Amino acid sequence: MQSGNSGKRKKPKKKGSRFLQNAKGFAKQGIFGRGTHIDDEQFSYFINILDAMKAGLSDVEERVNMANNVFDQTNEQEIRLASNQIVSKALESLIGFVDASHLERYFTKFGENLRPMCSDRFASHVLQKMLEIAFLRALGKDAAQKPETESDAAKRPKPDAAQIEEQYNLEIEFSDEHREQCRQFVVRISKFMLNNLEDFVWDSCATHIMRTALLCLVGVHVPKIAFEKSGVDLAKYRKLYTVPEEWHEVMKEFPQRLEMWPQFPDFPYEDQTSALLGAICIALGAVDKSMLKHFGKKILMESFLKPNDEANPDDNDELKETKNEIEADKDNEEEDEDDEKKSATKTKDTDAKTESQTESEVEVGLPKVFHYQSSIILLETLLNVAGAKLLTQLFAMLFSGHIAHLALQRQTNFAVQRLLNNIHEASDLESAFNELQPHTEKLLQSGLTGVVSALSGACLRMGVKQAQMIAALQSALHVTGDKEKSKMFFTCLIKLKPYEVVLDDQSSFVHLHGSLIAQHLLKFNKPIFLVNSILELPAAQLAQVFNTPNGSHIVDAFMQSTYIGEKSRERLIRQLEGFYVDLAITRHGSRALEQCFKAAQEAQKLRIAKELTTKANMTKGSPFGQLIYNKYRLDTYKLSPTQWQASLSQKVVEEQKPEKTKKRTASELFKDIIN
């Protein structure tokens, strides 16, 4: 498959891993960072700041003090210093913690030199970070669309640098004047980008600022942190905020202007412009689904469906005919059935022609979108945010008839996964399933297991093709037609290896996608085959699986599935007796134990408690076992099992009651400690 780059996706470089070592090495040669020149003393000062930031500071107060000291040092030198590679990194790392006066000073200085700052390869990073911080301070904590509850805060892991910075800027009480300055800065930068689109669309530095501005205008926050994860990784932390309506109108002008340009059809095939279109799609998805549908359809019809320039001319003619048919369908819906028959005939003819070719020669008349990494990434973004109608059009025009071929390519299989993860129509899923089912074994052999996982997840979500999915996996893993082989289904599934290979595999390895597929299957309407396979495994092997990071989550699905009966749950809990101490003393096994304990009957809870207290020293010898021991108050069990059981029953009753806002007395709050 041709691409703008290579057949495989480029792995993102780890930024910051050797940055400081390289900077210190160049300093010995008298090169104090790229960009504007700084002297030896300034270099030493800022490199020490970066060392301190990389090592991590103990609390927010230290960060604030350091930030204010650093920004004091840059007074009257803001532009020159921000244009140096080393200083730019330091300013970017600390600007989120500076006082209002320092940030406003930078607003003024950068505002006087906006055009060169947007295109400077180092100062542009500082400007982009300033825009993000101004956005957070302008809105404040109350603007969050989903305020965090106490239970959410308890579940949240230890915050990283991005979350600490975001929390600080949202919760600190800034003056109304400062918040207004921040609002004006966000609008000013956004309008400056809009008015200079022709200059900045292809500018590798300015487009990053433009993308941040687009997301800020609709209230989407994706952090940018020096030395931390990339924006793609941080997408899981993406939060939505309520912003003024006039901001939405500014954002909508970007797609309205860009789609009128004659170069618009080529945008998806260049890295900078493709990423810009992706940001616009995310922004429109947050505020205007109707406009997103129009914009997405324009990208599809004018760009994605373009024939590949270097493809076979016959294929290009076929694509043009297909595109003309699609446009004709929109004018006359009554001809849909006839057109589908023609399209199906064409697909069959194409398949017949290519069957004799080797796999490397098979291109099945793919549109240009699948030949360039930048356009494939844009397509994935569009699939993530598209509504039901646009998604159906994307499936019909780009994937239908080609989905098996695309799933087997390393560069395009991620797009297939996004499609399956977001598909809305049962008929579309059935069509995709029918194409992918015969290739299940080949996908597993090729290591493209994410597609199989996405397919099983889609079957669960849509409630269709579940029995066929289980049958396809049984066939692919070679566990059909034999009772002994069928007992190995669960083991083969979590390893995603065929029966013949698993026989010689004694490792405790659990494949991530194997675990996800098993969880999906356990939540299917009829998971009895997999349930029996799990229950027929030896207890030692089950405990080994549940002690792994991926395997421990299978217990969650087993205990929470509405289609697994109480007897099956009880049997699994009973089967693990004798191994609960082994589970309790490990990180992942202890959470599996918690799920078992939660689903257990009273008598089973007593047996689990007895097992843990019998080997109390071993249980408490591990930090995870100690947590389990304290959580279930096993000291009380050792003193009086009856009293322990009564307190446990009372706790269950209290948890089932609706929450009340009744205030608790001091004696109630400290009851556990007093007792």
Side-chain angles (χ1 to χ4, degrees), residues 606 609-610 612-617 620 629 632-645:
L606 280 167
K610 184 179 179 181
L612 294 174
T613 51
T614 303
K615 297 180 179 178
N617 289 339
K620 292 193 287 186
Y629 204 89
Y632 296 124
R633 300 177 184 178
L634 295 178
D635 279 331
T636 307
Y637 174 85
K638 288 183 78 173
L639 293 172
S640 172
T642 309
Q643 187 181 343
W644 177 83
Q645 190 174 8

Side-chain angles (χ1 to χ4, degrees), residues 479-489 499 529 533 536:
V479 293
T480 53
D482 190 316
K483 193 174 181 181
E484 287 303 313
K485 285 184 178 180
S486 64
K487 290 180 181 179
M488 294 288 287
F489 179 49
Y499 173 78
F529 189 88
S533 178
E536 287 174 7

Side-chain angles (χ1 to χ4, degrees), residues 504-562:
D504 301 323
D505 185 355
Q506 301 301 318
S507 71
S508 60
F509 168 74
V510 177
H511 197 291
L512 171 62
H513 289 138
S515 172
L516 290 171
I517 295 168
Q519 291 170 56
H520 295 153
L521 266 57
L522 286 170
K523 294 177 182 177
F524 277 8
N525 295 346
K526 294 181 180 179
I528 187 64
F529 189 88
L530 181 59
V531 170
N532 289 337
S533 178
I534 292 172
L535 295 176
E536 287 174 7
L537 277 181
Q541 191 174 340
L542 277 176
Q544 191 180 36
V545 169
F546 296 156
N547 259 324
T548 61
N550 298 329
S552 64
H553 292 277
I554 297 171
V555 182
D556 301 8
F558 196 101
M559 297 302 168
Q560 294 166 11
S561 174
T562 54

Side-chain angles (χ1 to χ4, degrees), residues 142-160:
D142 295 337
Q145 290 189 9
K146 288 185 179 179
E148 191 175 56
T149 63
E150 288 183 12
S151 59
D152 292 336
K155 292 176 186 176
R156 186 182 64 192
K158 186 179 178 181
D160 60 14

Side-chain angles (χ1 to χ4, degrees), residues 203-228:
D203 188 312
S204 59
C205 297
T207 49
H208 287 277
I209 302 170
M210 197 182 300
R211 281 147 53 186
T212 299
L214 282 163
L215 297 178
C216 288
L217 288 171
V218 296
V220 176
H221 176 234
V222 179
K224 179 186 191 300
I225 298 288
F227 302 121
E228 288 291 328

